[in-house]
Every structure is written in C-alpha cells, then in structure tokens.
Amino acid sequence: MSFKLAHRDDCQTAGNWQLVRRTLELRAFGINVVEIAPGEQIPEHDETDRDQEEVFYVLSGSPTLVIDGEEHPTRAGTFARLDPEHRRTVRNDGDEQTSVLIISAPRSSGYEPMDWA
C-alpha cells in the first residue's frame, strides 16, 4: 500500500507510548507520542549510538525538558531539536497529564530540504 491513515486513538501502544511509527509502518524516521503522568518522566538518554537527531513537540501540558541537566520549562506548542550527544528527558512536574510527540532520524539519513522550506 502506498499510504496509510490512522487516528491517534487507533495507534498501537506500549505502556504510555502510542507507537505511531509502527502503526504507519514508517521506515525512514521514528515518530511516537508519549503521555506523561504528573510526577513522571521518560527515561533519560542520549542518541549517540544511533546518531539520532530528535525533535520534541509538546501537544498538551507544560512539561520540563531537561537537557544535559539543565531544566527548560515548556508549554503546549513548544518545539525542541536535539543533537544526538545531549542527555535528555521530559519530566512532568504539573498536576495534569502531558502529551509529547517525538520524531527522530539518523543525521546520516540523506534528507535534503526543499529550497523553499
């Protein structure tokens, strides 16, 4: 099939992760949504071994992005791009659940932006 549609509610899940990449059968890049409950965070990590550049987009809530130990408060609508070597986590210090879209791909993927973009 040359295309696939899926609503967020219909994505495969693993714990608090919605597996968008797996649901859409993507092979060129990763994309998933994580729901983070108050007082929780995703595992701290870097992407050096996989040479993954990551983009975080806050869908809802006001999580704190911790990059190399430095806290960066965010709110819905915030984008963040990280090179692979930075240690990172997303922490929810608020009273409501937060939702974050995470997109990743190896820097060596061969992507070339269009002139206008």
Side-chain angles (χ1 to χ4, degrees), residues 6-82:
H7 187 275
R8 180 176 168 185
D9 293 341
D10 298 326
C11 288
Q12 294 179 41
T13 61
N16 58 335
W17 291 84
Q18 291 174 308
L19 306 178
V20 180
R21 184 206 58 79
R22 185 174 291 169
T23 301
L24 295 178
E25 301 173 359
L26 293 168
R27 294 178 303 213
F29 61 94
I31 180 171
N32 294 303
V33 175
V34 61
E35 300 286 340
I36 306 170
E40 300 292 323
Q41 69 182 42
I42 65 170
E44 184 179 37
H45 67 287
D46 65 50
E47 292 291 344
T48 304
D49 290 345
R50 298 185 317 143
D51 192 38
Q52 297 273 2
E53 182 176 53
E54 283 188 319
V55 172
F56 294 79
Y57 180 70
V58 180
L59 297 168
S60 66
S62 299
T64 299
L65 183 58
V66 183
I67 305 168
D68 296 328
E70 185 176 337
E71 297 182 357
H72 301 272
T74 67
R75 59 188 173 93
T78 300
F79 287 96
R81 185 202 59 82
L82 288 97

